[in-house]
Amino acid sequence: MSAFVRRALLVTSVAVVCARPAHQRSPHVGDVPKPTRSDVVQVPIDHFDGQNSATFGMRYFVYDKHYRQGGPIFFYAGNEGPLESFYYNAGLPFDWAEEFGATILFAEHRYYGQSLPFGNDSFKKENLRLLQINQVLADYALFVTDFKAKQLKDTRAPVVVFGGSYGGMLAAWLRIKYANVFHMALAASAPIPQMYNLVSPTAFYQAITEDAAKSDARCPDATRQAFAAVIESFASVSGRATLSKSFSLCKPLQETDLSHFLQYARNAFTEMAMCDYPYPSTFLALLPANPIAVACQHIIANGTDGLAAAVGMPYSTGDGKCIDMFTAFVECADQTGCGTGDAAKAWDYQMCTEVIYEQFTNNVTDMFPPRKWTLADLRIYCASHYGTSPSLDFNRIALGGTDLRKVTSKIIFSNGDLDPWMPGGFLESQGPELPAVLVEGGAHHLDLRLANPLDPPGVLHARQQEKAFISRWLALLQGADDTQYV
């Protein structure tokens, strides 16, 4: 899920974003201001090896225009992509900064963007071993502590950690593992139970299908029929030629391409569902407002040709050029897509070590051709590519488990009812200090984005709830002594 975000990495006006890099496009950055400064901090390559003193440069952005003495730090836990990806697509901290007098910090995840522990050799198999969640959490905890002491010069400044998708999971785990540094968290669209493989493997694509049905009840059956027609056409040379043309593919389809083609087409719906926002967006791709509804309109009206138009929406560059489906979509361990380029390699490795889940489509509870990806399939793939064998048992122990009342407090878990990752998240509050917030009408971490006149009432209400929790928790910290500060 690279954003679990994710798929396409966008190039902002400042530099080289959803998350996993694929297509490089220039987003409209809206009202998110440029950082007041950017820099690199040296952090240990291995926090847990006392005999290894090597460091690497981790990039970070600061926006402190609204800082007031005693104000909090709003820290965004960077996830699987370049720093700019999330800075320009997570506007909520900027909307709140002036009211709270906050300093905003964004940090770049190791092995993504320019924060490469071994430079250009970081993606060699032997060097990927330090791409670990515990190392990332330690990077962020050390950086924030150092920033407070040396730059903010306020060691008592409270820290609110934000994150969306995989970054939302990191935000929650930072609060769990380093409660002395991170005093509360907003974990948006954070599918932690799914990462522990505790959710039905059919849930993700069933959620996309339900999203399509909300836009038009005819859409799921029309999509099933269109996919069936595609599979039938694949059986003949002429049928494949027709498909190659209608889907604007650069290379003629071969009979052996069927599996990849179906995954490529399914991935288009993944991106559209995650970014099913009420306004045009460029987070994962150049998409119109309500892209699932637009896709459904194409398919209902024009069958297979409509499916071609729908699939082309997230992949098209807008210049009429053909699409190379083997570069636009690369098969990997994550059945919701890894993107392309070095960031895709990093995410693929994480899927083979710590971020583990099964994904099925069955053409019954969802509208996609049947495909299973079991833990056995994952382990075969990972052993072949990286010599790893993913283990669920350790993750469920090491990262706090699912009964969070036993280990933490002051984490908000938000989920949108249009987000395919919603079934994989915490949907019920685990007490007053671990609230679950529903974002009605919201796709993937819509609540973390900048306020927009087209935002549905549900996201406005969700943000009000989130702000109320954070305001109350911050107020409780005012005047607290050190023993009360967690």
Side-chain angles (χ1 to χ4, degrees), residues 208-209 211-226 269 292-300 367:
I208 293 178
T209 302
D211 186 4
K214 288 176 184 177
S215 69
D216 192 311
R218 299 171 295 173
C219 188
D221 281 342
T223 303
R224 290 186 184 99
Q225 293 166 13
F269 286 87
I292 287 291
V294 175
C296 285
Q297 290 167 10
H298 283 309
I299 296 166
I300 291 168
M367 59 190 184

Side-chain angles (χ1 to χ4, degrees), residues 115-129:
S115 299
L116 305 178
F118 299 97
N120 293 334
D121 292 333
S122 294
F123 301 99
K124 290 182 177 179
K125 187 185 298 186
E126 62 271 20
N127 289 336
L128 285 167
R129 58 189 172 81

Side-chain angles (χ1 to χ4, degrees), residues 230-284:
V230 163
I231 293 170
E232 182 178 353
S233 295
F234 244 89
S236 68
V237 173
S238 61
R240 293 192 298 274
T242 299
L243 291 174
S244 300
K245 182 177 181 181
S246 61
F247 282 83
S248 301
L249 301 178
C250 297
K251 301 174 183 177
L253 286 167
Q254 305 300 313
E255 190 172 4
T256 54
D257 293 338
L258 178 60
S259 175
H260 186 90
F261 177 82
L262 293 177
Q263 291 180 70
Y264 159 82
R266 187 180 70 174
N267 186 67
F269 286 87
T270 299
E271 295 194 6
M272 289 187 288
M274 288 175 62
C275 295
D276 198 13
Y277 301 137
Y279 46 76
S281 68
T282 57
F283 184 33
L284 299 186

Side-chain angles (χ1 to χ4, degrees), residues 300-477:
I300 291 168
N302 296 300
T304 305
D305 286 341
L307 180 63
V311 168
M313 286 167 56
Y315 294 123
S316 173
T317 56
D319 54 9
K321 293 182 179 179
C322 63
I323 302 168
D324 184 338
M325 73 172 185
F326 290 100
T327 58
F329 173 76
V330 177
E331 294 183 42
C332 68
D334 186 350
Q335 297 301 288
T336 69
C338 285
T340 60
D342 286 340
K345 295 178 187 175
W347 187 250
D348 195 36
Y349 180 78
Q350 289 193 261
M351 285 293 303
C352 279
T353 52
E354 296 179 309
V355 183
I356 305 165
Y357 46 78
E358 299 172 291
Q359 295 282 10
F360 299 174
T361 48
N362 57 26
N363 205 233
V364 178
T365 60
D366 59 67
M367 59 190 184
F368 304 100
R371 176 178 170 80
K372 277 192 174 183
W373 183 257
T374 66
L375 286 181
D377 296 319
L378 178 65
R379 288 177 175 134
I380 291 170
Y381 174 92
C382 295
S384 172
H385 285 73
Y386 304 108
T388 62
S389 180
S391 172
L392 284 165
D393 295 335
F394 181 72
N395 281 356
R396 293 173 181 175
I397 296 169
L399 295 170
T402 56
D403 188 355
L404 299 183
R405 294 168 296 180
K406 297 178 179 179
V407 296
T408 192
S409 64
K410 299 183 179 68
I411 303 174
I412 304 164
F413 290 100
S414 64
N415 287 280
D417 63 0
L418 299 183
D419 184 6
W421 291 108
M422 179 180 172
F426 289 114
L427 306 182
E428 300 291 336
S429 297
Q430 296 189 42
E433 300 295 280
L434 291 167
V437 173
L438 174 65
V439 186
E440 293 186 12
H444 203 46
H445 48 69
L446 176 61
D447 51 326
L448 278 189
R449 295 176 66 82
L450 272 178
N452 188 291
L454 296 177
D455 281 332
V459 75
L460 303 182
H461 181 59
R463 289 179 184 139
Q464 289 173 352
Q465 293 179 76
E466 292 161 356
K467 182 188 281 189
F469 281 115
I470 289 171
S471 297
R472 180 170 65 83
W473 293 337
L474 285 172
L476 290 174
L477 293 177

